[in-house]
Amino acid sequence: MASLDSALEIWREASVSRQGLGEDAVPSQIARFQAARRRQSGMTPPPRPAEASAPTPIADDAIRHLKAGRESDALSLLWHIGQTHTPGEIRDVVAAYSVARETEAADAVLAAASGRRTEDILRITASLLEAKRYSDATALVDAAVQRIG
């Protein structure tokens, strides 16, 4: 389990990455992402549980916060995952959340990832495509394009 100092550092990094975006920044990013997901066609079902890796401890903490009604804390952790984790880690967390039917959490991670540098978005997209997570890859690219436009 992460130490308190480690958890505070994660929270600080997530807060800094959201500075200047306003109080509704993360929820509005998620809403935009979910709208992009609804527009896409040809949704593929999530992988069977055996195909998805377990979420990271930070991801588990985010789900615990969501279930306890601490949405702000959860969104900070999910934002941190989307902004800082590797493409493979993001793919695995999103797949695990999808299997666990935690779609809001999966969307929050991908919404955060849609704000990364173009090269990072392409790497994450490639990782999602490699894992046959076509709907997630499409929604990520669509959300990234919406951010630009």
Side-chain angles (χ1 to χ4, degrees):
M1 180 149 202
S3 70
L4 179 58
D5 290 335
S6 173
L8 285 172
E9 184 59 31
I10 290 168
W11 177 82
R12 283 187 199 108
E13 289 172 7
S15 295
V16 167
S17 74
R18 295 185 317 176
Q19 275 182 345
L21 297 176
E23 281 297 312
D24 66 339
V26 175
S28 67
Q29 294 291 349
I30 294 170
R32 236 186 316 169
F33 186 83
Q34 290 171 337
R37 189 182 285 282
R38 282 191 298 273
R39 280 193 306 277
Q40 70 189 11
S41 60
M43 298 279 289
T44 56
R48 294 184 310 275
E51 296 173 355
S53 299
T56 64
I58 293 171
D60 286 342
D61 288 344
I63 294 300
R64 279 193 283 281
H65 285 308
L66 275 177
K67 289 183 178 185
R70 295 185 302 268
E71 188 174 271
S72 179
D73 294 335
L75 292 176
S76 290
L77 292 173
L78 296 167
W79 192 259
H80 173 76
I81 292 167
Q83 286 286 301
T84 63
H85 282 48
T86 68
E89 290 170 334
I90 290 172
R91 175 201 61 224
D92 292 346
V93 166
V94 168
Y97 283 161
S98 295
V99 167
R101 301 191 192 285
E102 295 289 351
T103 55
E104 182 180 350
D107 288 347
V109 171
L110 289 173
S114 74
R116 290 175 69 161
R117 297 177 317 138
T118 303
E119 298 84 11
D120 292 342
I121 293 169
L122 291 173
R123 286 184 187 100
I124 296 165
T125 301
S127 183
L128 290 167
L129 291 173
E130 190 175 286
K132 298 182 179 162
R133 307 273 326 155
Y134 304 120
S135 61
D136 293 330
T138 302
L140 173 62
V141 171
D142 195 17
V145 169
Q146 283 184 24
R147 280 176 166 258
I148 296 169

